[in-house]
Amino acid sequence: MPELPEMETYRIMLSERIAGKLITGAAVTRDKTINMEPDAFISDVVGRTVWFVERRGKHLLLHLDDGRRLVIHLMLGGSLYYGDEEDRPDRTVQVELSFGSHKLFGIGLRLGYVHLLSAKEAVERFKELGPEPLDPRLTAASFRKLFQGKRGVLKSALVDQQTIAGIGNCYSDEICFTASIRPNTRIPSLRDEEWERLFRATQSVLRDATAAGGYMESPTFLGDTLTGGYNERCRVYDRGGQPCLQCGTAIEQSEVASKKMFYCPSCQPEQ
Ligand SMILES: [Zn+2]
């Protein structure tokens, strides 16, 4: 599932391509992907201009010139592609928005969605969401406070969108590796210096992954060479049995709180 770096990569790439552009057409082939009748959805979005593209957690928000937002969540298996008709993806497209000769295709949106919301509805939708990990206002101390009172394991809290937004299965493991903490460590047992490392690791991993284009492999447009650049750079995620790039020990794969976790048993010693 795409996480903060993947969605931020989409935000940057789509901002360059659709910000300030008029939506000249729309099509919906799966009613459940949107939040209203397809005809109403199409007539509401066509003729609107996309002012700018924002990201909040794992959501992408296309701000329209009537104050409404198209909120996109890709969930598991969803992706976006921007191209012309000749370049149409060879997969079922659930929602498409036309910008003249080019289209934004929403693909694999079985669980994912594209919802048209008013400003008020958007505020309501995101009110439970935790802060952005890369918000410059977030300090080591306020980061630690987010986890205050939690008794569970670190991995569960990192992927909990109400605690902190945008982190999922992949980056929670990468962050824990960078911080040299095992993902199944209980939160109350984390020491001061570990909180400090965890805060710094969260920022550095998410920044590096965004700069490298995230780990999603499918390109966002023809000639896109950035998207997916981080896939090769993941150090533990999906590397079960392979040698740790830091110490050579085989990366372990196990499960914690019904989620997969990958870690190096030597670089991330059990507490
Ligand atoms: Zn190691």
Side-chain angles (χ1 to χ4, degrees):
M1 187 192 288
E3 303 176 32
L4 186 155
E6 290 69 45
M7 297 314 285
E8 186 61 16
T9 301
Y10 276 131
R11 186 193 67 76
I12 294 164
M13 290 181 168
L14 292 179
S15 292
E16 289 166 1
R17 286 165 181 81
I18 64 171
K21 287 204 178 151
L22 182 73
I23 300 174
T24 54
V28 177
T29 62
R30 188 174 186 276
D31 296 6
K32 281 185 179 164
T33 300
I34 56 172
N35 61 330
M36 51 206 285
E37 288 299 320
D39 289 347
F41 178 87
I42 291 165
S43 73
D44 278 11
V45 300
V46 173
R48 304 262 66 98
T49 295
V50 175
W51 266 350
F52 62 96
V53 185
E54 186 192 11
R55 181 193 54 75
R56 181 74 175 96
K58 299 176 187 172
H59 306 78
L60 215 55
L61 287 81
L62 274 49
H63 285 255
L64 306 182
D65 62 356
D66 65 353
R68 288 197 273 182
R69 294 107 165 93
L70 278 168
V71 176
I72 304 172
H73 195 312
L74 298 175
M75 304 289 281
L76 197 64
S79 63
L80 299 172
Y81 188 78
Y82 184 77
D84 60 18
E85 227 9 89
E86 272 183 38
D87 199 15
R88 173 177 273 276
D90 191 19
R91 290 179 55 195
T92 312
V93 171
Q94 285 78 36
V95 178
E96 60 185 71
L97 299 173
S98 301
F99 300 88
S101 61
H102 280 64
K103 289 177 176 180
L104 177 63
F105 300 100
I107 312 153
L109 301 174
R110 297 278 153 210
L111 299 166
Y113 58 79
V114 180
H115 286 175
L116 181 61
L117 302 179
S118 68
K120 202 176 155 193
E121 287 165 338
V123 169
E124 188 64 26
R125 176 74 59 97
F126 298 124
K127 76 171 192 221
E128 304 283 335
L129 216 53
E132 288 290 326
L134 298 179
D135 187 327
R137 291 166 296 185
L138 194 68
T139 62
S142 59
F143 174 82
R144 184 176 179 169
K145 267 201 184 128
L146 302 172
F147 301 85
Q148 211 166 38
K150 293 191 182 290
R151 318 284 316 161
V153 296
L154 180 57
K155 168 116 190 173
S156 304
L158 282 173
V159 302
D160 174 15
Q161 300 305 294
Q162 296 187 10
T163 302
I164 190 159
I167 301 169
N169 256 334
C170 169
Y171 294 106
S172 55
D173 283 353
E174 293 298 315
I175 288 166
C176 287
F177 176 80
T178 302
S180 311
I181 302 168
R182 205 170 278 202
N184 62 353
T185 305
R186 299 235 153 236
I187 289 171
S189 70
L190 287 168
R191 298 182 299 259
D192 289 353
E193 67 270 22
E194 288 173 320
W195 281 111
E196 193 66 41
R197 291 209 304 267
L198 196 62
F199 174 65
R200 277 186 277 125
T202 300
Q203 303 227 322
S204 67
V205 165
L206 296 176
R207 282 212 176 94
D208 290 352
T210 303
Y215 71 76
M216 294 260 286
E217 281 177 312
S218 49
T220 308
F221 59 92
L222 194 67
D224 169 14
T225 54
L226 177 68
T227 300
Y230 200 72
N231 199 32
E232 294 291 298
R233 293 177 45 187
C234 285
R235 289 179 294 171
V236 282
Y237 184 71
D238 231 1
R239 294 194 67 242
Q242 295 179 45
C244 170
L245 302 173
Q246 212 158 258
C247 75
T249 307
I251 299 297
E252 293 261 0
Q253 175 181 349
S254 64
E255 216 170 83
V256 58
S258 62
K259 282 182 167 46
K260 268 197 237 172
M261 75 165 178
F262 296 91
Y263 63 95
C264 170
S266 153
C267 295
Q268 296 161 274
E270 194 158 27
Q271 291 199 345

